[in-house]
Amino acid sequence: MNAAPSEPEPVRFAIDGAEIAVRLAGDRQKPALLLIHGFPASSASFRNVIGTLARTCFVIAPDLPGFGGSAPIDRPSFARFADVVDELLARLGARSFHLYLHDYGAPVGLHLATRDPRRVRSLIVQNANAHESGMGPTWSATRAYWDDPTPEREAEATAHLTFEGVRDQYVGGVPEDVAERVDPRLWAEDWRVMSLPGRLETNRALVLDYRHHVARFGEIADYLDRWQPPALMLWGRHDIFFDLAETLSWLRALPRMEAHILDGPHFLLETHPAECAALMDAFIRRVEAQRRR
């Protein structure tokens, strides 16, 4: 019989001069699972799957600096966020981990993976971009800003940093019956947090810094080609930010990847938590069984 789901433990650490919030759940002697959220959310994205995953793993779900309950840091960038998460892992004694990538979690997590590939037990890819194929027409204003970072182009590239833009991260372009399954309180809370001091500045900086993630696509491709980590894809097909063609790029990069494309949005865990939790749990169990052989 399965044990009762583990309730996450909210913990705070002082890292890089800022207070970092993290949800922890499960037995620390079990394999670690690092869950990295996307924009504009927080570790709350994982609230409906942590209980299931904590039966198999020691779950670590941080709020990135400037998101959720974590304070902003100076000079925010995805590389510096990776430094913060790396320090968090060290303090928790997590020498290796299964790595969940979603949205902004991809540039953070892939910094960790390319720095020390042996630490990564597997990848779980949920609407996370690592190839040019994922960057469709919705990225045109952002690309123009990267090429010529003027105030005018910054305004165009950061036009989504509004209440309406935050809402669209959840339900923009999503079929009505699917959108109805997403709680409006989510984007209201995200916007409340984003309106706190220093948060909008963090998000503006990350829009520009994402160009460095794109510049690393070649390095990431080399990592995937050489290391071929066990991988699971969970993808919401109604994502207006990362083109569906991105799924094929991941499958070409990792030919043994297990892939599930679901009738959900960019924030797939809001509409399909039970399905995704079961798929992740089964996948991690298989990977761990293979590692013991």
Side-chain angles (χ1 to χ4, degrees), residues 142-156:
T142 305
R143 285 187 178 275
Y145 175 44
W146 294 343
D147 292 339
D148 184 18
T150 63
E152 294 77 16
R153 291 194 167 181
E154 180 187 29
E156 294 172 356

mmCIF file with all atom_site columns, all heavy atoms in Angstrom, residues 142-156:
data_model
loop_
_atom_site.group_PDB
_atom_site.id
_atom_site.type_symbol
_atom_site.label_atom_id
_atom_site.label_alt_id
_atom_site.label_comp_id
_atom_site.label_asym_id
_atom_site.label_entity_id
_atom_site.label_seq_id
_atom_site.pdbx_PDB_ins_code
_atom_site.Cartn_x
_atom_site.Cartn_y
_atom_site.Cartn_z
_atom_site.occupancy
_atom_site.B_iso_or_equiv
_atom_site.pdbx_formal_charge
_atom_site.auth_seq_id
_atom_site.auth_comp_id
_atom_site.auth_asym_id
_atom_site.auth_atom_id
_atom_site.pdbx_PDB_model_num
ATOM 1   N N   . THR A 1 142 ? 10.550 40.401 -28.866 1.00 0.00 ? 142 THR A N   1
ATOM 2   C CA  . THR A 1 142 ? 11.658 40.110 -27.948 1.00 0.00 ? 142 THR A CA  1
ATOM 3   C C   . THR A 1 142 ? 12.970 40.001 -28.706 1.00 0.00 ? 142 THR A C   1
ATOM 4   O O   . THR A 1 142 ? 14.001 40.532 -28.266 1.00 0.00 ? 142 THR A O   1
ATOM 5   C CB  . THR A 1 142 ? 11.376 38.799 -27.179 1.00 0.00 ? 142 THR A CB  1
ATOM 6   O OG1 . THR A 1 142 ? 10.111 38.909 -26.526 1.00 0.00 ? 142 THR A OG1 1
ATOM 7   C CG2 . THR A 1 142 ? 12.458 38.533 -26.154 1.00 0.00 ? 142 THR A CG2 1
ATOM 8   N N   . ARG A 1 143 ? 12.946 39.339 -29.834 1.00 0.00 ? 143 ARG A N   1
ATOM 9   C CA  . ARG A 1 143 ? 14.167 39.227 -30.650 1.00 0.00 ? 143 ARG A CA  1
ATOM 10  C C   . ARG A 1 143 ? 14.637 40.592 -31.122 1.00 0.00 ? 143 ARG A C   1
ATOM 11  O O   . ARG A 1 143 ? 15.844 40.864 -31.148 1.00 0.00 ? 143 ARG A O   1
ATOM 12  C CB  . ARG A 1 143 ? 13.904 38.306 -31.844 1.00 0.00 ? 143 ARG A CB  1
ATOM 13  C CG  . ARG A 1 143 ? 13.844 36.819 -31.499 1.00 0.00 ? 143 ARG A CG  1
ATOM 14  C CD  . ARG A 1 143 ? 13.744 36.024 -32.794 1.00 0.00 ? 143 ARG A CD  1
ATOM 15  N NE  . ARG A 1 143 ? 13.721 34.611 -32.610 1.00 0.00 ? 143 ARG A NE  1
ATOM 16  C CZ  . ARG A 1 143 ? 14.803 33.837 -32.480 1.00 0.00 ? 143 ARG A CZ  1
ATOM 17  N NH1 . ARG A 1 143 ? 16.001 34.395 -32.458 1.00 0.00 ? 143 ARG A NH1 1
ATOM 18  N NH2 . ARG A 1 143 ? 14.686 32.528 -32.354 1.00 0.00 ? 143 ARG A NH2 1
ATOM 19  N N   . ALA A 1 144 ? 13.698 41.439 -31.500 1.00 0.00 ? 144 ALA A N   1
ATOM 20  C CA  . ALA A 1 144 ? 14.075 42.792 -31.932 1.00 0.00 ? 144 ALA A CA  1
ATOM 21  C C   . ALA A 1 144 ? 14.735 43.551 -30.786 1.00 0.00 ? 144 ALA A C   1
ATOM 22  O O   . ALA A 1 144 ? 15.702 44.294 -30.992 1.00 0.00 ? 144 ALA A O   1
ATOM 23  C CB  . ALA A 1 144 ? 12.840 43.535 -32.430 1.00 0.00 ? 144 ALA A CB  1
ATOM 24  N N   . TYR A 1 145 ? 14.245 43.358 -29.595 1.00 0.00 ? 145 TYR A N   1
ATOM 25  C CA  . TYR A 1 145 ? 14.829 43.997 -28.403 1.00 0.00 ? 145 TYR A CA  1
ATOM 26  C C   . TYR A 1 145 ? 16.236 43.477 -28.155 1.00 0.00 ? 145 TYR A C   1
ATOM 27  O O   . TYR A 1 145 ? 17.145 44.246 -27.828 1.00 0.00 ? 145 TYR A O   1
ATOM 28  C CB  . TYR A 1 145 ? 13.911 43.737 -27.215 1.00 0.00 ? 145 TYR A CB  1
ATOM 29  C CG  . TYR A 1 145 ? 14.409 44.210 -25.880 1.00 0.00 ? 145 TYR A CG  1
ATOM 30  C CD1 . TYR A 1 145 ? 14.998 45.464 -25.716 1.00 0.00 ? 145 TYR A CD1 1
ATOM 31  C CD2 . TYR A 1 145 ? 14.267 43.400 -24.750 1.00 0.00 ? 145 TYR A CD2 1
ATOM 32  C CE1 . TYR A 1 145 ? 15.442 45.894 -24.470 1.00 0.00 ? 145 TYR A CE1 1
ATOM 33  C CE2 . TYR A 1 145 ? 14.705 43.829 -23.505 1.00 0.00 ? 145 TYR A CE2 1
ATOM 34  C CZ  . TYR A 1 145 ? 15.293 45.067 -23.376 1.00 0.00 ? 145 TYR A CZ  1
ATOM 35  O OH  . TYR A 1 145 ? 15.734 45.491 -22.148 1.00 0.00 ? 145 TYR A OH  1
ATOM 36  N N   . TRP A 1 146 ? 16.430 42.183 -28.310 1.00 0.00 ? 146 TRP A N   1
ATOM 37  C CA  . TRP A 1 146 ? 17.776 41.619 -28.114 1.00 0.00 ? 146 TRP A CA  1
ATOM 38  C C   . TRP A 1 146 ? 18.765 42.223 -29.110 1.00 0.00 ? 146 TRP A C   1
ATOM 39  O O   . TRP A 1 146 ? 19.911 42.499 -28.765 1.00 0.00 ? 146 TRP A O   1
ATOM 40  C CB  . TRP A 1 146 ? 17.754 40.108 -28.300 1.00 0.00 ? 146 TRP A CB  1
ATOM 41  C CG  . TRP A 1 146 ? 16.962 39.365 -27.269 1.00 0.00 ? 146 TRP A CG  1
ATOM 42  C CD1 . TRP A 1 146 ? 16.553 39.823 -26.054 1.00 0.00 ? 146 TRP A CD1 1
ATOM 43  C CD2 . TRP A 1 146 ? 16.480 38.018 -27.375 1.00 0.00 ? 146 TRP A CD2 1
ATOM 44  N NE1 . TRP A 1 146 ? 15.852 38.841 -25.392 1.00 0.00 ? 146 TRP A NE1 1
ATOM 45  C CE2 . TRP A 1 146 ? 15.789 37.742 -26.168 1.00 0.00 ? 146 TRP A CE2 1
ATOM 46  C CE3 . TRP A 1 146 ? 16.563 37.041 -28.358 1.00 0.00 ? 146 TRP A CE3 1
ATOM 47  C CZ2 . TRP A 1 146 ? 15.186 36.498 -25.932 1.00 0.00 ? 146 TRP A CZ2 1
ATOM 48  C CZ3 . TRP A 1 146 ? 15.966 35.809 -28.135 1.00 0.00 ? 146 TRP A CZ3 1
ATOM 49  C CH2 . TRP A 1 146 ? 15.285 35.542 -26.931 1.00 0.00 ? 146 TRP A CH2 1
ATOM 50  N N   . ASP A 1 147 ? 18.308 42.395 -30.344 1.00 0.00 ? 147 ASP A N   1
ATOM 51  C CA  . ASP A 1 147 ? 19.188 42.930 -31.387 1.00 0.00 ? 147 ASP A CA  1
ATOM 52  C C   . ASP A 1 147 ? 19.501 44.406 -31.177 1.00 0.00 ? 147 ASP A C   1
ATOM 53  O O   . ASP A 1 147 ? 20.587 44.878 -31.537 1.00 0.00 ? 147 ASP A O   1
ATOM 54  C CB  . ASP A 1 147 ? 18.537 42.740 -32.766 1.00 0.00 ? 147 ASP A CB  1
ATOM 55  C CG  . ASP A 1 147 ? 18.450 41.285 -33.182 1.00 0.00 ? 147 ASP A CG  1
ATOM 56  O OD1 . ASP A 1 147 ? 19.226 40.463 -32.638 1.00 0.00 ? 147 ASP A OD1 1
ATOM 57  O OD2 . ASP A 1 147 ? 17.601 40.965 -34.043 1.00 0.00 ? 147 ASP A OD2 1
ATOM 58  N N   . ASP A 1 148 ? 18.561 45.134 -30.595 1.00 0.00 ? 148 ASP A N   1
ATOM 59  C CA  . ASP A 1 148 ? 18.718 46.584 -30.434 1.00 0.00 ? 148 ASP A CA  1
ATOM 60  C C   . ASP A 1 148 ? 17.974 46.996 -29.161 1.00 0.00 ? 148 ASP A C   1
ATOM 61  O O   . ASP A 1 148 ? 16.819 47.424 -29.219 1.00 0.00 ? 148 ASP A O   1
ATOM 62  C CB  . ASP A 1 148 ? 18.150 47.306 -31.664 1.00 0.00 ? 148 ASP A CB  1
ATOM 63  C CG  . ASP A 1 148 ? 18.367 48.814 -31.603 1.00 0.00 ? 148 ASP A CG  1
ATOM 64  O OD1 . ASP A 1 148 ? 19.234 49.266 -30.819 1.00 0.00 ? 148 ASP A OD1 1
ATOM 65  O OD2 . ASP A 1 148 ? 17.659 49.532 -32.330 1.00 0.00 ? 148 ASP A OD2 1
ATOM 66  N N   . PRO A 1 149 ? 18.608 46.863 -27.990 1.00 0.00 ? 149 PRO A N   1
ATOM 67  C CA  . PRO A 1 149 ? 17.915 47.068 -26.711 1.00 0.00 ? 149 PRO A CA  1
ATOM 68  C C   . PRO A 1 149 ? 17.672 48.536 -26.373 1.00 0.00 ? 149 PRO A C   1
ATOM 69  O O   . PRO A 1 149 ? 18.225 49.091 -25.418 1.00 0.00 ? 149 PRO A O   1
ATOM 70  C CB  . PRO A 1 149 ? 18.842 46.397 -25.702 1.00 0.00 ? 149 PRO A CB  1
ATOM 71  C CG  . PRO A 1 149 ? 20.200 46.452 -26.314 1.00 0.00 ? 149 PRO A CG  1
ATOM 72  C CD  . PRO A 1 149 ? 19.980 46.352 -27.801 1.00 0.00 ? 149 PRO A CD  1
ATOM 73  N N   . THR A 1 150 ? 16.836 49.176 -27.163 1.00 0.00 ? 150 THR A N   1
ATOM 74  C CA  . THR A 1 150 ? 16.450 50.555 -26.909 1.00 0.00 ? 150 THR A CA  1
ATOM 75  C C   . THR A 1 150 ? 15.260 50.582 -25.933 1.00 0.00 ? 150 THR A C   1
ATOM 76  O O   . THR A 1 150 ? 14.559 49.574 -25.768 1.00 0.00 ? 150 THR A O   1
ATOM 77  C CB  . THR A 1 150 ? 16.024 51.246 -28.205 1.00 0.00 ? 150 THR A CB  1
ATOM 78  O OG1 . THR A 1 150 ? 14.862 50.583 -28.725 1.00 0.00 ? 150 THR A OG1 1
ATOM 79  C CG2 . THR A 1 150 ? 17.134 51.202 -29.238 1.00 0.00 ? 150 THR A CG2 1
ATOM 80  N N   . PRO A 1 151 ? 15.007 51.718 -25.293 1.00 0.00 ? 151 PRO A N   1
ATOM 81  C CA  . PRO A 1 151 ? 13.831 51.812 -24.416 1.00 0.00 ? 151 PRO A CA  1
ATOM 82  C C   . PRO A 1 151 ? 12.524 51.503 -25.135 1.00 0.00 ? 151 PRO A C   1
ATOM 83  O O   . PRO A 1 151 ? 11.620 50.890 -24.559 1.00 0.00 ? 151 PRO A O   1
ATOM 84  C CB  . PRO A 1 151 ? 13.872 53.264 -23.934 1.00 0.00 ? 151 PRO A CB  1
ATOM 85  C CG  . PRO A 1 151 ? 15.326 53.640 -24.016 1.00 0.00 ? 151 PRO A CG  1
ATOM 86  C CD  . PRO A 1 151 ? 15.849 52.918 -25.220 1.00 0.00 ? 151 PRO A CD  1
ATOM 87  N N   . GLU A 1 152 ? 12.416 51.924 -26.387 1.00 0.00 ? 152 GLU A N   1
ATOM 88  C CA  . GLU A 1 152 ? 11.193 51.666 -27.142 1.00 0.00 ? 152 GLU A CA  1
ATOM 89  C C   . GLU A 1 152 ? 10.993 50.165 -27.373 1.00 0.00 ? 152 GLU A C   1
ATOM 90  O O   . GLU A 1 152 ? 9.887  49.640 -27.199 1.00 0.00 ? 152 GLU A O   1
ATOM 91  C CB  . GLU A 1 152 ? 11.239 52.393 -28.495 1.00 0.00 ? 152 GLU A CB  1
ATOM 92  C CG  . GLU A 1 152 ? 11.232 53.908 -28.392 1.00 0.00 ? 152 GLU A CG  1
ATOM 93  C CD  . GLU A 1 152 ? 12.578 54.496 -27.986 1.00 0.00 ? 152 GLU A CD  1
ATOM 94  O OE1 . GLU A 1 152 ? 13.608 53.765 -28.072 1.00 0.00 ? 152 GLU A OE1 1
ATOM 95  O OE2 . GLU A 1 152 ? 12.613 55.676 -27.583 1.00 0.00 ? 152 GLU A OE2 1
ATOM 96  N N   . ARG A 1 153 ? 12.060 49.494 -27.731 1.00 0.00 ? 153 ARG A N   1
ATOM 97  C CA  . ARG A 1 153 ? 11.940 48.052 -27.969 1.00 0.00 ? 153 ARG A CA  1
ATOM 98  C C   . ARG A 1 153 ? 11.785 47.278 -26.659 1.00 0.00 ? 153 ARG A C   1
ATOM 99  O O   . ARG A 1 153 ? 11.142 46.227 -26.628 1.00 0.00 ? 153 ARG A O   1
ATOM 100 C CB  . ARG A 1 153 ? 13.140 47.552 -28.766 1.00 0.00 ? 153 ARG A CB  1
ATOM 101 C CG  . ARG A 1 153 ? 13.122 48.088 -30.191 1.00 0.00 ? 153 ARG A CG  1
ATOM 102 C CD  . ARG A 1 153 ? 14.067 47.388 -31.116 1.00 0.00 ? 153 ARG A CD  1
ATOM 103 N NE  . ARG A 1 153 ? 13.784 47.743 -32.493 1.00 0.00 ? 153 ARG A NE  1
ATOM 104 C CZ  . ARG A 1 153 ? 14.448 47.268 -33.547 1.00 0.00 ? 153 ARG A CZ  1
ATOM 105 N NH1 . ARG A 1 153 ? 15.447 46.411 -33.356 1.00 0.00 ? 153 ARG A NH1 1
ATOM 106 N NH2 . ARG A 1 153 ? 14.123 47.636 -34.755 1.00 0.00 ? 153 ARG A NH2 1
ATOM 107 N N   . GLU A 1 154 ? 12.358 47.795 -25.592 1.00 0.00 ? 154 GLU A N   1
ATOM 108 C CA  . GLU A 1 154 ? 12.132 47.169 -24.292 1.00 0.00 ? 154 GLU A CA  1
ATOM 109 C C   . GLU A 1 154 ? 10.652 47.235 -23.930 1.00 0.00 ? 154 GLU A C   1
ATOM 110 O O   . GLU A 1 154 ? 10.086 46.249 -23.422 1.00 0.00 ? 154 GLU A O   1
ATOM 111 C CB  . GLU A 1 154 ? 12.956 47.856 -23.204 1.00 0.00 ? 154 GLU A CB  1
ATOM 112 C CG  . GLU A 1 154 ? 12.725 47.221 -21.830 1.00 0.00 ? 154 GLU A CG  1
ATOM 113 C CD  . GLU A 1 154 ? 13.392 47.983 -20.702 1.00 0.00 ? 154 GLU A CD  1
ATOM 114 O OE1 . GLU A 1 154 ? 13.545 49.201 -20.827 1.00 0.00 ? 154 GLU A OE1 1
ATOM 115 O OE2 . GLU A 1 154 ? 13.745 47.341 -19.698 1.00 0.00 ? 154 GLU A OE2 1
ATOM 116 N N   . ALA A 1 155 ? 10.015 48.364 -24.165 1.00 0.00 ? 155 ALA A N   1
ATOM 117 C CA  . ALA A 1 155 ? 8.598  48.503 -23.859 1.00 0.00 ? 155 ALA A CA  1
ATOM 118 C C   . ALA A 1 155 ? 7.764  47.494 -24.631 1.00 0.00 ? 155 ALA A C   1
ATOM 119 O O   . ALA A 1 155 ? 6.814  46.908 -24.089 1.00 0.00 ? 155 ALA A O   1
ATOM 120 C CB  . ALA A 1 155 ? 8.130  49.929 -24.175 1.00 0.00 ? 155 ALA A CB  1
ATOM 121 N N   . GLU A 1 156 ? 8.120  47.258 -25.886 1.00 0.00 ? 156 GLU A N   1
ATOM 122 C CA  . GLU A 1 156 ? 7.389  46.276 -26.690 1.00 0.00 ? 156 GLU A CA  1
ATOM 123 C C   . GLU A 1 156 ? 7.638  44.853 -26.187 1.00 0.00 ? 156 GLU A C   1
ATOM 124 O O   . GLU A 1 156 ? 6.710  44.041 -26.097 1.00 0.00 ? 156 GLU A O   1
ATOM 125 C CB  . GLU A 1 156 ? 7.811  46.398 -28.152 1.00 0.00 ? 156 GLU A CB  1
ATOM 126 C CG  . GLU A 1 156 ? 7.406  47.715 -28.806 1.00 0.00 ? 156 GLU A CG  1
ATOM 127 C CD  . GLU A 1 156 ? 8.000  47.872 -30.190 1.00 0.00 ? 156 GLU A CD  1
ATOM 128 O OE1 . GLU A 1 156 ? 8.786  46.982 -30.607 1.00 0.00 ? 156 GLU A OE1 1
ATOM 129 O OE2 . GLU A 1 156 ? 7.686  48.874 -30.864 1.00 0.00 ? 156 GLU A OE2 1
#
